[in-house]
Structure formats: C-alpha cells, structure tokens
Amino acid sequence: MTRHVLPPGQAIRSGALIGIGLMLLGVFLFAVNDVMGKWLVATYSVGQVLLLRSIAALAVLLPIMRKQNVPFRIPPQPGLHAVRITLSTLEVACFYWAVTYLPLADVMTYYLAGPIYVAAFAFFWLDERLDAPRILAIAVGFVGVLIALRPSPATLSLPALIALAGSVFYSLLMITTRMLRETHDATLVLGQIIGTLIFGIVAAPLAWVTPGPLDLAALFLLGIVSMAAHACVNRSLKIAPASVVAPYQYTLIVWAIVLGYLAFGDIVQFWTLVGAAVICGAGIVLLLLEREAARRGRVAKDIEPPVLPEA
C-alpha cells in the first residue's frame, strides 16, 4: 500500500488547522469546566470543590504518567516548584471564590489580562527585552483592565479584588512555568493538582456538605474535564506554532458570556465588554510582536505558549 505524503506547505496548513481545532475545543472545555465550577461553588465550599476535583484529576493523570514512564520523584529546583504550586493553588482558589459572587465573564476578563502582566513581569524576572511597541501594548492592556474594573468605591468590591489578585497569581504562575520549561508537562500538572488537593484537605472539613450522587459525579467530572482541556491545548501547541493557535484562547471570553447567560442569567456590563476587547486586542498584538521578532531572528527561543487559567 502506497502511503500518501502531503506536500510540505499543505502539511503545515493541515497541522495548523488541526491545532486551531484542538485549541478551540480545549478553550470550550475550559469554559464548560468554569461553568460547572461556578454552579458547584454555589452549594459547596471552594475547598470541597478543589478536594474532589483533585482526586478525580489524579485518578486520570497518574495512569497516564505511569504509561509514559514519567518518573515520580522530586524534580530539580524544588524551591521554585514549591513557589509555582503555591501560586497555582492561590490562583485556582481565587478564581472559584470570585465566580461565587461575580459573573463568569467578569472574572475571565481579569484573568485574560494574565499575558499582559507576564510581558511586564518578564522584563524584571526573565531579562526579556521591552521595546516601544511592547511597552505600548502592555500599557493598552492595563488600560483595558481599568476599563473593565471601573475603579470606584462601588465597583472595587472584595470579589473583584479577589479576581484581580487571582489574575496576578496566574501571571506569576506563567512566569515560573517559563523558568521550569525543562520539566515534563505531566510533572508540572501533577504539582498543581497536589497543591489543590492539600488545600482541599485542609479547607474542605471547615464547611463540608455531603453531596448527592448527581453532585458527586459533577464534582469528579470537574477534574476530568479540566484534564481533557489541558490535553487539547497542550496537543494543539505541539502540532501548530503557538503564534498561530494562541489568539484563539481569547474565544474563552465569548463562551464565558454565552454560557454565563444561559446557565446563570448573567448580563455582562458594557464597560466589561469594552475592557475585555481592549485586553484581548493588546494580547494578540503582543503575540504578533513576538512572532515578528522570532522571524527576524531577534529572539533565540521559541515563542512561549499561553497557559490558560487552571480553573
């Protein structure tokens, strides 16, 4: 049997289309995961949700790691890994705490500003260059956050500040992930799950509500859906350039608006939409600048893939 081999150009286009499709699917699964989480934290504490979600995620991840022969040992730079696990746990806890009180789209708007913060923080912690176009894009992104937040005594509520803090933890998580880029993906995910598991073990007994069969299934499904979403996004980034698929992560805000309205009747405020559009636009510009810099040989490393909120 003769094997059909695609021409190089067609193979690249095919890989890009598959990568885009997987990114879109992964983003949709993240949105579904977030809707399920918001529904569950209306009844169960954040600690209980994270505990049961983590157990389900471990049940999926550990067999995969065993099949891939990923070593179960303390990785190099344990201190940095501990910092990353702490940031990841804080980020997830802030996300679920915030969506208990705020519309899903509002919280996701703050979190999608993560890449903007990363571009600013990377100048100080990763010695990455900042030229005038990048500085302008970062500044515009921060303006988008201010538009969405609309700082005033009425809008600076505790849930909004928690969501904003979560987005900062999320950006710092991405910074530490870059610093640990040589670590196996499964090891990084395992650390995050262990962090939320420990948090759940400590916090869940403080406000335990015994779930019924349907809710218990939903709590476990939360972890499975999250793992599936990560698998889609990671696979997307392996078969297509990050600069091609990364902009599609911003479809998350569309799903947050649509699903938030359908599931909870959330109505997104006009200025939140404007802020989200500005943030997404600034993020896409930063991605395009990175791609252009790589093309001209001004950077030696690959464009860093996005890290969607671990929620």
Side-chain angles (χ1 to χ4, degrees), residues 92-208:
V92 178
C94 285
F95 181 89
Y96 280 120
W97 193 1
V99 296
T100 305
Y101 305 99
L102 294 176
L104 191 60
D106 286 30
V107 179
M108 287 312 310
T109 296
Y110 301 138
Y111 270 74
L112 286 178
I116 307 295
Y117 303 151
V118 168
F121 293 154
F123 174 76
F124 300 99
W125 286 321
L126 299 179
D127 295 324
E128 294 186 5
R129 67 191 301 273
L130 278 181
D131 52 17
R134 284 180 177 81
I135 293 173
L136 179 60
I138 292 169
V140 170
F142 279 118
V143 169
V145 174
L146 292 175
I147 292 172
L149 188 60
R150 303 182 305 282
S152 72
T155 57
L156 285 178
S157 62
L158 180 59
L161 293 175
I162 290 170
L164 195 60
S167 69
V168 174
F169 290 138
Y170 166 50
S171 63
L172 294 174
L173 169 65
M174 287 193 283
I175 290 286
T176 55
T177 300
R178 287 190 184 187
M179 296 169 72
L180 295 168
R181 69 183 73 191
E182 300 302 324
T183 306
H184 195 287
D185 289 348
T187 301
L188 293 175
V189 174
L190 178 63
Q192 292 175 244
I193 295 173
I194 290 175
T196 54
L197 178 67
I198 294 172
F199 177 88
I201 290 172
V202 173
L206 302 177
W208 182 267

Side-chain angles (χ1 to χ4, degrees), residues 133 137 280-290:
C280 293
I284 291 173
V285 168
L286 283 171
L287 282 168
L288 293 176
L289 289 172
E290 289 293 334

Side-chain angles (χ1 to χ4, degrees), residues 34-46:
D34 295 341
V35 169
M36 292 172 60
K38 180 175 173 62
W39 175 64
L40 288 166
V41 293
T43 304
Y44 306 98
S45 68
V46 172

